[in-house]
Each structure stands twice: as C-alpha cells, then as structure tokens.
Amino acid sequence: MTALLLVRRVPPGRLDLTRATAQQWNDGLARDATLQWWELVDPAADDAHPAAALAAVRNDDAVVRLAGLATPPGRRDRAVQVLMALVDALRATSARTLEAAPSADLLTILRDAGFRPGPDGREVVEL
C-alpha cells in the first residue's frame, strides 16, 4: 500500500532534519538560510522521518518564487507531486502567483505540475 503524502510548511522543529535531507539531494539549496521550506510527508510518520520531497520558496505576499526542489535521486514524480501540493496549499494564502525560473531539466517538471509560460521567461501558476 502507498502512503498518503501531504504537503506542509516545515515546522521549526524539523528545520535541521529538512536541511540535512536537502543537503543530500541538493546541497546548494540547503545552504540558503533565507528560504521558506515546504515538505511532502507521510502524516502518520514520526518527526524523525525525513520528507519524501522538499520545495523551497521565497515569499513576498502576492508572489511566491520557487527557489528549488530537493527529491531523492530519480524521483521526478515526487518533484511534480510536491509542486502540485504546494500550489494547492498556497491557494489558501494571500499569494496570487507561484513563479519559477526554469532550467532545461526543470521545465518538464514545472509543466507537468501545471506551470505555464509567463513574463521574462519565467514559468507561472496563477493561484
């Protein structure tokens, strides 16, 4: 049976685990202390269990900017899943747009998660 995975903003007590997990999957992303982290987790797992995928954003009220994703190697499906869940979660906030600056390898993931071309070469989702 596959576990139900939900997205949530990383609670302060899990930030050290989150950064350690991100360091394994995306070291550069893990070093930025200014990011807001969201995690895809099994809600039945204990707090010592690492996330299934991570998304890091910069938030300025109306526009949320995707800083990066961290997933286990080869788990493109988890990257899409965390982005789709993040979009749903952000719809309950004051944010109106989620945007990303796509790299060549990220573009397909963004498109699969519902992003579309926006201004300045960015990919966007209207919330």
Side-chain angles (χ1 to χ4, degrees):
M1 178 181 348
T2 303
L4 171 68
L5 299 176
L6 303 174
V7 74
R8 69 178 179 190
R9 190 164 170 200
V10 174
R14 285 182 55 87
L15 280 174
D16 288 343
L17 176 61
T18 296
R19 287 191 179 107
T21 301
Q23 188 171 16
Q24 292 174 0
W25 298 336
N26 186 338
D27 187 41
L29 191 62
R31 295 180 191 184
D32 189 337
T34 66
L35 298 175
Q36 180 184 96
W37 291 91
W38 291 78
E39 61 183 354
L40 189 65
V41 294
D42 176 351
D46 63 38
D47 274 349
H49 192 76
L54 298 165
V57 301
R58 288 187 173 77
N59 189 353
D60 70 1
D61 292 329
V63 178
V64 177
R65 289 173 180 81
L66 181 69
L69 299 170
T71 61
R75 291 307 307 259
R76 182 186 166 288
D77 61 320
R78 291 276 172 89
V80 172
Q81 189 176 7
V82 73
L83 283 174
M84 291 173 68
L86 177 61
V87 166
D88 287 341
L90 290 174
R91 287 189 170 125
T93 70
S94 62
R96 295 293 151 241
T97 305
L98 175 60
E99 65 177 38
S103 60
D105 58 332
L106 187 58
L107 184 58
T108 303
I109 292 169
L110 293 171
R111 292 287 173 88
D112 287 351
F115 284 72
R116 297 295 171 245
D120 302 325
R122 296 190 175 275
E123 293 290 311
V124 298
V125 172
E126 297 300 324
L127 304 169

